[in-house]
Amino acid sequence: MNYDSVKKQDPEVFAALEGEEKREAEGVELIPSENYVSRAVREANGSCLTNKYAEGYPGKRYYGGQEFTDAVEVLAIERAKKLFNCAYANVQPHAGAPANIATYFALMEPGDTLMGMDLSHGGHLTHGHPVTYITKIFNFIRYKMKDIETGEIDYDEMLKVAKANKPKVIMAGFSAYPRELNYAKFVEIGREVGAIVIADIAHIAGLIAGKAAKNPFDFGFDIMLTTTHKTLRGPRGGMILTRESEELAKKIDKMVFPGFQGGPIMNNIAGKAVAFGEAQHPNFKVYAAQIIKNAKAMAEVFKAHNIRLITGGTDNHLVLADVYGSLGISGKDAETLLDRVGMTLNKNMIADDPRKPMDPSGIRFGSPAITTRGFMEKESARVAELMVDAMKNKSDEKKLAGIREEIRTLCKRFPIPESFV
Ligand code: DSN
């Protein structure tokens, strides 16, 4: 990308942008919630629409001059509805957490209960972790895996706890869970206790859009929450989708604006519209399927080295490995070491982790970004081999230098693509 004006006007910011461009170009991105957007998405996201206030919704704004903001937001909404097969889409949430919190505010009263996945078993902070402020407003109860080695959720216990606590909302979704949930079970339990059933698909939205993963709406989920920048390959942002209930969609629209947010970030919504257009392309299906093949190829390498994987493998885009238990290196040290040799991933708690969040037992890594780069199973497996090699030889500087070089060469062979197709 060209930063000529920044370069001329603000060398300090330019240095940071240039540094990040180089970091992204020369390293392998394995954080499963990250990706590379196309140049078209970047252009729309950096467009003149950043100048415009557009409080309200298409056709119903508080300020004038909305001809083009309306056009762009309608495009984003219509494309989102088609991609996820639903009747309503709100594309204004600035990010995933605001999308989730605005939805809670729309559907629950203070003191109401939400049932979500325990953070250490794969859930997300916004699903009710005690460090978040929303836990002072709502009551959160949790479900967990029954078997950490297979990833099976304890649906019987979930039903028992739901019956006893009558949650207003049941949330299916995760940020560190490598398996597909049993959506039919969630809907069954939700209907039985009279809860609204929501899926937080932030991590797997691209897999669903690309038909490589099941769509919770097909099982009767009421609402889906998502970010747009992970597997979906759009700009950083959030979105709320409602399957069919006009009543729920209206409540959500009213809460997103004026209840919770101010002016929508229209340039960001333009970026979302472009990304949703890309996700409708037949090639996106190929991309989504390849993400899963690549993650599986990486998981197989770890398994071949007898490294314990939480849930025993993966059905999606991410892998969670107990590197402390298997290799004696903590998640934090593995993250630092692998970053140094050009492979970026994150330390992660594993289920019932005996260690602390800032220095846990696990690492979480995935394939969305490398797949965008064009890696196939062969390259993905090689990256996994290099990860293991580095962790097993963490003090061998010569070996580590060789790994860094191999990663740089691999990245040169697979430059970050500018265009989507
Ligand atoms: N930070 C995101 C992730 O990495 O999963 C979730 O919010």
Side-chain angles (χ1 to χ4, degrees):
M1 185 109 175
N2 172 332
Y3 300 112
D4 286 351
S5 306
V6 184
K7 185 177 181 182
K8 218 151 79 192
Q9 181 179 316
D10 196 327
E12 287 161 297
V13 170
F14 174 71
L17 297 181
E18 195 184 36
E20 176 62 12
E21 288 278 354
K22 191 165 151 46
R23 191 193 70 81
E24 290 184 14
E26 294 182 358
V28 164
E29 183 53 70
L30 298 170
I31 294 174
S33 49
E34 294 191 11
N35 215 328
Y36 309 111
V37 298
S38 68
R39 192 182 174 94
V41 169
R42 282 173 75 160
E43 282 177 5
N45 203 40
S47 68
C48 55
L49 284 168
T50 195
N51 299 329
K52 192 70 194 109
Y53 254 127
E55 281 110 323
Y57 290 98
K60 257 174 75 186
R61 309 274 191 192
Y62 285 80
Y63 298 164
Q66 306 292 349
E67 188 182 349
F68 303 107
T69 49
D70 277 7
V72 145
E73 189 165 345
V74 168
L75 280 170
I77 290 169
E78 292 307 316
R79 288 176 184 176
K81 283 161 49 179
K82 203 162 158 204
L83 272 181
F84 294 97
N85 190 22
C86 59
Y88 303 95
N90 187 311
V91 296
Q92 292 194 3
H94 300 333
N100 289 12
I101 295 166
T103 303
Y104 301 165
F105 286 167
L107 305 180
M108 298 196 288
E109 294 300 323
D112 279 348
T113 298
L114 179 145
M115 179 176 236
M117 192 189 264
D118 189 88
L119 182 77
S120 83
H121 282 233
H124 188 251
L125 286 173
T126 57
H127 300 175
H129 193 272
V131 297
T132 60
Y133 192 79
I134 43 171
T135 56
K136 292 193 189 350
I137 304 171
F138 306 114
N139 177 37
F140 289 90
I141 53 174
R142 297 171 226 300
Y143 57 88
K144 289 184 169 191
M145 288 180 270
K146 179 160 74 179
D147 181 355
I148 297 170
E149 305 312 319
T150 65
E152 200 195 340
I153 301 291
D154 194 341
Y155 292 105
D156 294 337
E157 178 67 13
M158 202 178 149
L159 176 61
K160 213 164 83 191
V161 174
K163 273 182 168 166
N165 291 274
K166 293 271 174 294
K168 190 90 168 269
V169 172
I170 293 182
M171 173 85 92
F174 48 80
S175 57
Y177 179 73
R179 298 294 184 183
E180 197 157 53
L181 295 167
N182 184 339
Y183 296 129
K185 274 273 180 213
F186 276 83
V187 172
E188 196 184 304
I189 295 170
R191 298 289 178 259
E192 186 153 349
V193 301
I196 298 167
V197 186
I198 297 184
D200 183 339
I201 59 161
H203 264 259
I204 54 169
L207 304 181
I208 294 170
K211 311 260 184 275
K214 291 178 187 137
N215 183 342
F217 280 152
D218 293 343
F219 296 83
F221 272 62
D222 301 299
I223 291 167
M224 298 207 291
L225 310 171
T226 189
T227 51
T228 47
H229 50 271
K230 298 186 174 96
T231 46
L232 194 50
R233 229 162 114 175
R236 192 157 291 281
M239 175 161 72
I240 305 169
L241 305 162
T242 306
R243 181 170 54 90
E244 64 169 21
S245 164
E246 187 181 1
E247 188 195 339
L248 289 181
K250 276 190 171 155
K251 280 186 184 171
I252 285 165
D253 282 353
K254 228 169 124 186
M255 185 52 70
V256 170
F257 179 84
F260 190 64
Q261 290 189 168
I265 303 174
M266 289 312 306
N267 50 306
N268 185 245
I269 290 175
K272 288 172 183 171
V274 173
F276 300 162
E278 290 176 355
Q280 287 174 341
H281 193 282
N283 279 14
F284 199 85
K285 285 200 181 76
V286 180
Y287 168 65
Q290 191 62 44
I291 289 178
I292 298 179
K293 287 183 199 161
N294 286 352
K296 282 183 186 290
M298 296 179 92
E300 285 311 314
V301 170
F302 270 61
K303 274 162 54 178
H305 284 275
N306 293 318
I307 298 171
R308 178 179 177 235
L309 299 183
I310 303 307
T311 81
T314 184
D315 294 330
N316 59 25
H317 62 301
L318 71 84
V319 180
L320 198 55
D322 176 6
V323 287
Y324 188 73
S326 301
L327 298 172
I329 181 170
S330 78
K332 182 179 163 199
D333 289 345
E335 178 190 290
T336 308
L337 172 78
L338 294 171
D339 203 32
R340 195 151 68 80
V341 293
M343 293 179 274
T344 309
L345 46 70
N346 64 280
K347 58 184 167 298
N348 214 96
M349 297 282 276
I350 59 169
D352 303 330
D353 202 326
R355 297 176 63 86
K356 299 203 170 71
M358 287 311 282
D359 193 10
S361 300
I363 53 171
R364 185 188 69 155
F365 56 95
S367 56
I370 56 172
T371 307
T372 298
R373 243 179 145 131
F375 285 23
M376 304 299 276
E377 289 98 315
K378 183 168 162 241
E379 290 78 27
S380 305
R382 183 64 193 149
V383 166
E385 285 286 358
L386 292 175
M387 288 167 72
V388 175
D389 213 15
M391 288 188 284
K392 283 188 172 170
N393 296 282
K394 56 183 187 243
S395 309
D396 184 341
E397 286 306 324
K398 198 159 160 238
K399 183 133 209 156
L400 295 176
I403 292 172
R404 181 66 190 100
E405 210 32 55
E406 186 171 339
I407 290 289
R408 203 172 272 122
T409 308
L410 189 59
C411 288
K412 270 203 194 115
R413 269 181 57 216
F414 293 89
I416 298 168
E418 290 221 326
S419 93
F420 162 67
V421 280

